[in-house]
Amino acid sequence: MSYRFALSPDVHARDLSNWFVLNTRLQRALGTAIHPVVFDDFADLHEAIAGGNVDIVYANAADTALLLRRHGFSPLARARQVADEALVAVAATSPIHALEALPSRIRAAATDAPDVERICRILLEPADLGAADIDVIAKRNYVLVAKSVAIGESEVGFFLRQAFDELSDLTRGMLRPLISSQIYVVSHCLLASERLAGFVPQILGALESMADDPTVADLLLGLGAPRGWERLTLEDAEFMVDLMDTLES
C-alpha cells in the first residue's frame, strides 16, 4: 500500500524540494511508499481530501479544522515556536495610514487561504468594516495580491505575514503594512488520516529526531521549522480551532 503526502498550496515553491526530502525521510522511517502531491489551489486540495486521496498534510489553521471535524484526521506536530500571523497592507503611496482612514467600503486582494482572510477581516473590524463592506478580489498568489494593491485595483491586500516578508524587495517596497496580527497560537499543522493511524509513533519519532541532528538544520529551516517539530495533541489542535471560531464570532 502507498500513501499520499499533500503539500498545501501555501507552501512556497522555493521550499518544495525540502518537503520532498522530508517525504523521503518519512518513507524510510515507515518502510512504505509515500508520494508527495503538490496542489496549486485550495479547491483542488479540498477535493482530494474529500475523495480520501490525502494521508498526510501540512495544513493551515482553517484546513486543520476541516480535517479534524469532517474527515477524521489526527494532529501530529507543528513547527516549534512558529506561529502564522496575517497582515493587511496598503500601497506605499496610499494616503491611508490608519484603520480609521479606510473608506466605508473597500476592495481587498487575497489568495484563497481561508485562515489569512479570516484573520485579516478580524483586523479590519475596528474600522467598522464587516463582511458586507469588503469586496474580495481573488488572486492566485501573494505576488499578484501585492500587484493588485500597488496598481490601485484594491485598497488593501491580505497576506500571510511570512509570505509578505518573503516578497522581493522591489515588490515589498510598493506596499506599506497597515496592521498585523499577534495571535501567537495559530499555526500550520501536520495531520494524518485514519489510514495512517498505525504509523503515527514512527512519524512522530522521525519528526522529533530531526531536532537532535545537526546535519538537517538547513532542511528544518527550509521547512519553516528552524527549531524542529513539537508534538501536537488533539486538545492543542482543538484549542486553536476553537480560538479561530471565537475570533470570527
Side-chain angles (χ1 to χ4, degrees):
M1 179 178 289
S2 63
Y3 300 93
R4 285 165 290 257
F5 189 166
L7 300 176
S8 181
D10 49 8
V11 170
H12 197 293
R14 175 203 60 207
D15 299 326
L16 287 177
S17 60
N18 295 303
W19 288 94
F20 293 158
V21 173
L22 177 63
N23 183 82
T24 300
R25 291 178 65 93
L26 292 178
Q27 282 190 117
R28 291 173 180 164
L30 274 57
T32 190
I34 305 175
H35 300 293
V37 183
V38 179
F39 291 90
D40 292 330
D41 58 52
F42 285 95
D44 289 344
L45 173 62
H46 294 165
E47 182 178 352
I49 292 170
N53 297 314
V54 170
D55 297 296
I56 308 178
V57 59
Y58 191 49
N60 59 39
D63 283 346
T64 294
L66 177 76
L67 291 158
L68 289 176
R69 294 173 172 173
R70 297 187 185 177
H71 299 289
F73 276 61
S74 299
L76 292 169
R78 61 184 171 191
R80 187 183 302 277
Q81 298 178 16
V82 174
D84 290 345
E85 303 292 354
L87 177 149
V88 178
V90 296
T93 56
S94 170
I96 298 170
H97 290 268
L99 289 178
E100 295 76 13
L102 286 167
S104 58
R105 189 176 186 89
I106 63 170
R107 294 159 296 175
T111 69
D112 57 356
D115 55 335
V116 174
E117 181 177 336
R118 183 181 301 180
I119 295 173
C120 287
R121 285 182 179 276
I122 294 168
L123 289 173
L124 293 178
E125 286 180 355
D128 291 329
L129 290 167
D133 306 312
I134 303 171
D135 296 320
V136 174
I137 301 174
K139 298 296 178 182
R140 290 191 60 205
N141 55 56
Y142 288 111
V143 172
L144 295 179
V145 170
K147 290 182 178 177
S148 175
V149 177
I151 65 175
E153 181 186 35
S154 52
E155 283 82 14
V156 302
F158 292 168
F159 294 88
L160 183 67
R161 176 72 200 221
Q162 180 181 357
F164 182 85
D165 292 339
E166 291 176 346
L167 293 171
S168 69
D169 290 344
L170 177 63
T171 302
R172 199 169 57 251
M174 295 188 296
L175 306 172
R176 173 164 35 84
L178 185 64
I179 188 172
S180 61
S181 68
Q182 294 180 314
I183 301 175
Y184 301 115
V185 297
V186 176
S187 64
H188 276 59
C189 305
L190 272 167
L191 301 105
S193 71
E194 293 178 339
R195 293 205 316 154
L196 270 177
F199 288 108
V200 167
Q202 293 99 312
I203 297 172
L204 290 173
L207 293 171
E208 291 173 339
S209 67
M210 294 175 72
D212 301 321
D213 184 354
T215 67
V216 299
D218 288 343
L219 174 60
L220 285 171
L221 189 63
L223 295 170
R227 300 175 186 83
W229 302 97
E230 63 179 3
R231 192 173 300 202
L232 182 64
T233 67
L234 179 59
E235 289 74 18
D236 290 338
E238 288 182 337
F239 175 79
M240 179 183 72
V241 171
D242 289 343
L243 175 63
M244 292 292 288
D245 288 344
T246 300
L247 289 172
E248 190 176 29
S249 62

